[in-house]
């Protein structure tokens, strides 16, 4: 079928009708067979109450009880619908899935409201869009039927294969297959597919990359439409070529995203920080085929040593900043007082000339350089004339970081491990726009940390400006974590005897917990617990608070358009304001207002642009676009987590059979997880493997306690384990704890128990539903 249900619904404007012919045209349907499929879809959607037909046409049914969401399932069979409006997740029992799979976009109707410790429950009414079109699987013969069993155990189904695919019956240790879906489950009919190709399991890094890309559907990435990069208009640009400017380099691979440059000037009141973003919006026409294509991609993707770029190489090359060469930029001047507080700002279209590139080696050499050294290290020779500027920039970044943290932003010491093969994935993006916390980095030795403080401030200024001028920007929200969730983490810390100072109302902020945990011998595992209540960043059409950036008015990203399409959208808006915005009510008024700066706030009482100028952006800024971009951000996080898990599993393979000392990183009723150095890979010690006693699970203390010997396994404890098995494809590490010499195997029948484990926990039917 050429369209999904989601595509169909997106064509229907709210509270309006659309004729069948216009709907067919909007979906690009001309063949008779495609139109017949549309007719079937319309009839089905009318029966489930999603849309209705009348003589005037087809329209949506406004039903607030139907909620758009994306399914997230676990290997244990628990499924949740993650609401796209940011509301509470909805628990979906397996008999209410109606053939929906993990990752599918669905319409859900709530059947039971939630409580204090229980999520609301619901059922899938309609599948809007399938997420899985191909998958990695193992071929097996089950009686008379040849089937593919997905390696992703969140897909709780088997796919029937044609008998001709029996040639792919091989052990999972040798090869797996890519299966293309030919039919999703319908009624009592099972899903069907066919083997597209076989993939080797142990054939080196390139084969692993192929496995990763195939698993996430990235092997056959769509090709960008042919387009010649537009040349930026030279008229009206501010000439900033004389301004000393540095390019901060995070990544070095040829397809890595291009990033902003920075400048710094001293002023009478403090300093002026300049952030210069590559002017991608002036190379890509708004609403052009290329622009629409980039909306679908959403993100640049790092897959270890290489990138799947967002922008075509022709655009990146045309917009890149090269030392010694003039380049078009979109710049903001950020005026700071002596304490580093933002006081004023002004945006402009500019021309800059970068003086030098600063990479991590240069920062490291500068940090290690002795104050009175007469010689210049090799890594700094190209920067000799810019060293004073670089040192001032580092000092300012450290000041900005302190202000951000004091305002409630969170830095956690949870950087990715140094594993060969992770490559540039281990280097955080400067804006880290997906998660609700930032990796703790030192601006004195990290270009990512140095650029981060500059970019966050530029995004704060843009968000405030667009919010005040009421222009259709894409804002990034990051609400503060729930106090109750933070208190649960605080209680876990108190149970581990971590000293905490609570406020008068008995609550602790995330920042206070992070500070307290940093000085503990269990710091890493406690910070991992703190990470969970921190809410991810989501995109929205209205301004709102962003705790991550310590911004309470509005935060809108625009400096990294080669990383995120949302930044490119906001660049389009900025260019429109700077080129088409009216700086006075009419030509009869002689006094102009600087609409590019905050000095215009509270002064403008006329339309900045005509309705026709703003209409394309206002019409394009739909819930559909935001859902797509938020979905792509989640997809990127999952891809990066998968790449890390595969690299960690590969590091653990040679250690099978060895005894290592790890740290308990999580405790559950079914066992405990242990983080094992040096890759920080996490494996499971199942409770059934603890043969010396019957263990009870005490959730509030995060520990298992032996009934007979009183031995405990608690969060943060060091424990010796043996790596028993490594499944690279499923990222599963099986561990066994090293029991003390002379232990006696526990006989559960002596105490009336039948197996090692814990009493069932009935506080919630799905308390441990997520992996």
């Amino acid at each position: 079928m050429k369209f999904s249900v989601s595509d169909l619904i997106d064509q229907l404007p709210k509270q309006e009708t659309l004729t069948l012919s216009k709907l067919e045209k909007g979906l690009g349907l001309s063949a008779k067979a495609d139109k017949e499929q549309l007719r079937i879809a319309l009839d089905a959607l009318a029966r489930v109450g999603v849309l209705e037909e009348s003589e005037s046409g087809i329209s949506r049914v406004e039903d607030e009880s139907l909620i758009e969401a994306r399914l997230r399932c676990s290997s244990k069979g628990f499924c949740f619908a993650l609401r796209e409006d940011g509301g509470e997740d909805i628990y979906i029992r397996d008999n209410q899935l109606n053939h929906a799979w993990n990752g599918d976009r669905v319409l859900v109707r709530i059947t039971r409201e939630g409580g204090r410790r229980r999520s609301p429950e619901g059922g899938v009414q309609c599948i809007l869009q399938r997420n899985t079109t191909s998958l990695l699987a193992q071929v097996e013969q089950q009686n008379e039927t040849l089937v593919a069993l997905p390696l992703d155990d969140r897909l709780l189904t088997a796919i029937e294969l044609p008998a001709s695919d029996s040639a792919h019956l091989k052990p999972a240790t040798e090869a797996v297959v890519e299966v293309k879906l030919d039919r999703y489950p319908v009624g009592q009919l099972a899903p069907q597919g066919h083997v597209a190709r076989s993939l080797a399991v142990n054939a080196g890094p390139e084969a692993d990359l192929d496995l990763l890309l195939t698993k996430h559907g990235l092997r056959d990435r769509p090709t960008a439409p042919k387009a010649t990069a537009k040349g930026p208009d030279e008229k009206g640009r501010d000439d900033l070529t004389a301004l000393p400017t540095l390019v901060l380099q995070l990544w070095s691979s040829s397809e890595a995203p291009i990033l902003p440059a920075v400048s710094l000037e001293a002023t009478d009141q403090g300093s002026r920080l300049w952030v210069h973003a590559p002017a991608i919006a002036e190379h890509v026409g708004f609403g052009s085929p290329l622009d629409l294509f980039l909306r679908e991609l959403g993100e640049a993707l790092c897959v270890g040593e290489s990138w799947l770029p967002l922008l075509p190489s022709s655009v990146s090359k045309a917009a890149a900043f090269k030392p010694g060469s003039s380049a078009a930029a979109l710049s903001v001047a950020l005026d700071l007082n002596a304490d580093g507080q933002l006081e004023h700002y002004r945006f402009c279209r500019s021309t800059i000339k970068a003086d030098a590139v600063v990479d991590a080696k240069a920062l490291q050499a500068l940090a290690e350089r002795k104050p009175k050294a007469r010689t210049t290290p090799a890594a700094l020779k190209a920067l000799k004339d810019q060293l004073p500027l670089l040192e001032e920039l580092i000092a300012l970044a450290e000041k900005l970081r302190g202000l951000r943290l004091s305002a409630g932003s969170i830095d956690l010491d949870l950087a990715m491990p140094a594993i060969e093969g992770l490559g540039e994935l281990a280097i955080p993006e400067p804006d880290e726009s997906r998660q609700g916390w930032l990796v703790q980095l030192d601006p004195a030795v990290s270009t990512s940390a140095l650029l981060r403080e500059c970019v966050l401030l530029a995004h704060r200024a843009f968000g405030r400006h667009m919010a005040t001028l009421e222009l259709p920007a894409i804002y990034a929200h990051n609400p503060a974590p729930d106090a109750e969730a933070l208190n649960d983490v605080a209680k876990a810390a108190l149970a581990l005897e971590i000293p905490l100072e609570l406020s008068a109302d008995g609550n602790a902020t995330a920042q206070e917990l992070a500070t307290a945990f940093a000085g503990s011998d269990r710091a890493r595992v406690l910070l991992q617990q703190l990470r969970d209540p921190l809410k991810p960043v989501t995109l929205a059409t209205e301004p709102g608070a962003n705790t991550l950036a310590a911004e309470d008015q509005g935060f809108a990203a625009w400096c990294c358009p080669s990383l995120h399409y949302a930044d490119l959208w906001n660049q389009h808006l900025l260019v429109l304001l700077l080129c088409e915005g009216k700086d006075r009510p009419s030509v009869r008024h002689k006094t102009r207002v600087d609409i590019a700066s905050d000095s215009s706030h509270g002064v403008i009482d006329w339309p900045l642009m005509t309705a026709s100028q703003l209409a394309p952006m206002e019409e394009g800024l739909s819930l559909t676009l935001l859902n797509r971009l938020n979905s792509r951000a989640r997809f990127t996080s999952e891809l990066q987590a998968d790449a890390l898990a595969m690299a960690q599993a590969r590091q653990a393979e040679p250690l099978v059979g060895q005894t290592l000392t790890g740290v308990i990183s999580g405790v559950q009723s079914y066992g405990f997880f242990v983080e094992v150095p040096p890759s920080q890979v996490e494996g499971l010690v199942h409770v059934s493997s603890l043969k010396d006693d019957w263990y009870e699970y005490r959730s509030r203390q995060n520990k298992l306690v032996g009934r007979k010997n009183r031995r405990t396994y608690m969060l943060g404890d060091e424990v010796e384990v043996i790596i028993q098995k490594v499944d690279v494809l499923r990222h599963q590490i099986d561990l066994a704890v090293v029991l003390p010499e002379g232990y006696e195997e526990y006989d559960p029948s002596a105490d009336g128990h039948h197996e090692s484990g814990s009493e069932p926990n009935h506080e919630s039917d799905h308390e441990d539903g997520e992996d």
Side-chain angles (χ1 to χ4, degrees):
M1 193 162 68
K2 290 183 64 175
F3 61 92
S4 67
V5 174
S6 179
D7 296 331
L8 192 162
I9 293 176
D10 288 345
Q11 290 294 323
L12 301 174
K14 288 187 176 181
Q15 300 177 342
E16 294 182 29
T17 58
L18 197 68
T19 63
L20 180 59
S21 60
K22 287 186 177 180
L23 180 58
E24 290 172 344
K25 183 178 180 181
L27 292 170
L29 307 181
S30 56
K32 181 179 178 181
D34 294 334
K35 292 181 179 181
E36 289 175 348
Q37 288 182 333
L38 175 60
R39 181 71 265 161
I40 294 171
L42 291 173
D43 291 341
L45 292 172
R47 283 198 298 271
V48 297
V50 174
L51 55 81
E52 59 185 7
E53 289 190 75
S54 63
E55 292 183 359
S56 59
I58 304 157
S59 60
R60 297 190 198 183
V61 174
E62 297 297 325
D63 186 349
E64 294 182 357
S65 67
L66 285 176
I67 299 167
E68 288 193 21
R70 186 171 294 275
L71 275 186
R72 185 172 182 179
C73 301
S74 77
S75 59
K76 306 181 188 72
F78 297 109
C79 288
F80 290 86
L82 279 60
R83 297 173 59 153
E84 297 191 338
D85 61 6
E88 189 175 4
D89 297 346
I90 305 164
Y91 177 52
I92 311 292
R93 295 183 184 273
D94 55 0
N95 63 345
Q96 294 291 324
L97 285 171
N98 292 328
H99 296 312
W101 291 353
N102 179 63
D104 289 349
R105 279 189 65 209
V106 295
L107 283 177
V108 173
R109 179 170 275 119
I110 292 179
T111 57
R112 187 171 77 173
E113 296 297 331
R116 193 177 71 86
R117 294 187 62 82
R118 184 186 295 274
S119 299
E121 293 189 18
V124 174
Q125 301 299 300
C126 176
I127 299 172
L128 296 175
Q129 190 169 33
R130 289 287 188 177
N131 179 63
T132 304
T133 57
S134 66
L135 49 85
L136 289 177
Q138 180 67 35
V139 179
E140 285 191 8
Q141 186 75 44
Q142 294 183 352
N143 299 323
E144 300 299 319
T145 307
L146 190 70
V147 299
L149 299 180
L151 294 182
D152 187 345
D153 52 14
R154 297 172 300 175
L155 298 174
L156 312 173
T157 186
I159 294 94
E160 292 183 356
L161 300 175
S164 57
D165 283 342
S166 60
H168 297 282
L169 280 165
K170 296 180 181 179
T173 54
E174 295 180 11
V176 294
V177 296
E178 178 186 6
V179 173
K180 297 283 188 179
L181 271 296
D182 299 320
R183 183 187 74 191
Y184 293 99
V186 178
Q188 301 302 314
L189 300 178
Q192 291 181 343
H194 66 277
V195 174
R197 63 193 181 106
S198 181
L199 294 85
V201 173
N202 296 299
E206 288 188 7
D208 281 355
L209 179 58
D210 192 13
L211 287 166
L212 181 70
L213 297 181
T214 302
K215 178 180 178 181
H216 291 275
L218 294 170
R219 185 171 174 271
D220 300 318
R221 211 168 182 228
T223 304
K226 292 183 179 180
T228 303
K230 292 172 54 182
D233 189 354
E234 296 301 321
K235 184 180 178 181
R237 310 197 82 88
D238 290 3
D239 186 355
L240 304 178
T241 53
L243 192 65
T245 301
L246 298 175
V247 174
L248 301 174
Q249 185 183 76
L250 276 64
W251 310 294
S252 57
S253 62
S254 59
E255 293 186 317
I258 55 177
L259 294 171
V262 294
S263 309
L264 186 62
E265 299 177 289
T267 64
D268 294 339
Q269 291 75 32
S271 58
R272 174 172 293 160
L273 172 66
W274 289 87
V275 179
H276 314 286
I280 303 298
E282 297 190 76
H283 291 276
V284 178
F286 181 77
S288 66
L290 177 56
D291 187 52
L292 298 177
F293 173 80
L294 298 177
R295 292 184 199 181
E296 292 294 328
L297 289 186
E299 302 271 334
L301 304 172
C302 182
V303 288
E305 301 286 357
S306 58
W307 284 81
L308 301 179
L310 174 63
L311 302 176
S313 59
S314 58
V315 176
S316 293
K317 289 178 181 178
F321 298 145
K322 305 177 184 67
S325 300
S326 297
L330 294 172
S331 301
V332 60
L334 303 160
D335 289 338
L336 313 173
N337 64 21
D339 296 325
Q341 298 280 1
L342 177 62
E343 295 197 329
H344 300 289
Y345 50 82
R346 184 181 187 276
F347 298 89
C348 65
R349 296 165 59 248
S350 65
T351 302
I352 69 167
K353 183 184 290 185
D355 294 283
V357 174
V358 179
D359 59 16
K361 291 181 179 178
L363 284 185
Q364 191 66 43
L366 182 61
E368 296 172 353
R369 185 188 186 195
K370 295 180 179 179
K372 297 183 179 181
R374 295 183 179 180
T375 59
T376 302
L380 294 176
K381 286 186 176 179
L383 291 165
K384 188 176 181 179
D385 295 337
Q386 286 79 35
L387 288 182
L389 169 61
L390 181 57
E391 289 172 337
E392 291 170 4
L393 191 61
I394 291 171
L396 176 61
E398 290 173 340
K399 188 180 296 184
L400 293 175
R401 178 175 180 267
L403 289 172
R404 175 173 58 80
L405 293 177
S406 65
S409 182
I410 294 291
D411 285 5
L412 301 181
D413 188 12
L414 294 175
M416 283 193 182
I419 300 177
E420 186 178 355
L422 277 184
E424 298 187 344
L425 188 62
I427 303 172
E429 297 172 2
D431 56 346
E432 294 182 274
S433 61
R434 285 176 285 275
Q435 55 196 14
W437 54 279
L438 299 171
V439 176
Q440 182 176 304
L441 297 171
D442 183 356
V445 294
S446 167
T447 50
S448 182
L450 187 54
L451 184 57
R452 169 199 290 168
E453 303 305 333
C454 303
V455 165
L456 289 178
L457 196 61
H459 291 175
R460 288 176 60 198
F462 185 79
R464 290 181 183 184
H465 200 48
M466 295 300 105
T468 303
L469 299 182
E470 298 182 347
L471 294 177
I474 293 179
Y475 296 93
H477 291 186
N478 177 232
D482 293 331
E484 185 176 344
L486 289 177
N487 283 343
D488 287 342
V489 177
K491 290 173 184 176
L494 290 171
L496 297 174
E497 300 182 351
I498 305 299
L500 293 177
E501 291 186 10
L502 303 181
S503 61
D505 58 4
N507 295 321
T509 66
Q511 188 59 251
E512 289 168 343
L513 291 176
T515 302
F517 295 166
S520 165
D521 58 353
R522 300 171 191 255
R524 181 172 173 81
V525 295
L526 286 169
L527 291 175
Q528 288 171 331
Q529 301 296 311
L530 178 59
R531 179 178 56 189
D532 295 335
L534 302 178
K535 297 182 179 180
V537 175
T538 56
L539 301 178
T541 58
E542 298 294 329
N546 189 304
T547 304
L548 184 69
E551 174 57 45
D552 58 2
Q553 297 179 37
F555 182 88
W558 63 280
C559 293
C560 303
S562 60
L563 266 172
H564 317 294
Y565 179 79
D567 292 51
L568 178 54
W569 174 281
N570 285 333
Q571 275 204 2
H572 281 306
L573 184 59
L574 178 58
V575 172
L576 184 64
L577 173 67
L578 296 177
C579 294
E580 304 293 342
K582 293 176 61 177
D583 57 5
R584 50 183 172 167
S586 69
V587 294
R588 295 191 301 273
H589 289 74
K590 295 183 179 181
T591 304
R592 298 175 183 267
V593 173
D594 188 1
I595 60 175
S597 82
D598 64 317
S599 64
S600 64
H601 296 179
V603 177
I604 300 171
D605 58 1
W606 61 88
L608 281 171
M609 280 163 274
T610 65
S612 61
Q613 289 171 333
L614 270 179
M617 299 207 76
E618 290 177 334
E619 293 171 2
L621 189 56
S622 64
L623 184 61
T624 301
L625 173 62
L626 293 183
N627 287 342
R628 183 185 302 122
L629 295 180
N630 282 324
S631 176
R632 294 303 294 174
R634 289 192 296 268
F635 171 84
T636 304
S637 296
E638 292 169 3
L639 173 68
Q640 292 178 347
D642 230 8
L644 172 61
M646 179 176 282
Q648 289 177 311
R650 285 296 186 200
Q651 290 280 311
E653 274 187 311
L655 304 177
V656 171
Q658 295 187 26
T659 299
L660 299 167
T661 300
V663 175
I664 296 178
S665 54
V667 183
Q668 296 291 342
S669 59
Y670 50 82
F672 55 88
F673 293 91
V674 179
E675 196 175 73
V676 181
S679 67
Q680 297 173 347
V681 66
E682 196 174 56
L684 173 66
V685 176
H686 198 274
V687 71
S688 62
S689 68
L690 301 174
K691 303 295 187 181
D692 63 326
D693 205 344
W694 187 88
Y695 283 86
E696 295 178 334
Y697 173 49
R698 299 184 180 176
S699 60
R700 296 190 184 278
Q701 288 89 25
N702 276 287
K703 66 181 178 181
L704 293 173
V705 181
R707 176 181 289 271
K708 180 180 178 181
N709 60 30
R710 313 310 296 172
R711 185 175 292 117
T712 63
Y713 295 102
M714 182 183 290
L715 185 72
D717 283 352
E718 285 194 350
V719 61
E720 284 194 328
V721 293
I722 300 172
I723 297 181
Q724 293 185 317
K725 181 183 177 182
V726 176
D727 188 332
V728 173
L729 296 178
R730 292 182 174 87
H731 317 320
Q732 293 175 352
I733 317 295
D734 293 339
L735 305 175
V737 71
V738 177
L739 294 170
E741 293 185 11
Y743 82 93
E744 295 182 5
E745 188 163 329
Y746 177 66
D747 179 8
S749 62
D751 291 337
H753 297 287
H754 301 289
E755 62 178 5
S756 184
S758 70
E759 300 291 347
N761 186 336
H762 296 292
E763 284 185 334
S764 173
D765 291 342
H766 48 274
E767 189 174 50
D768 302 322
E770 277 301 324
D771 286 340

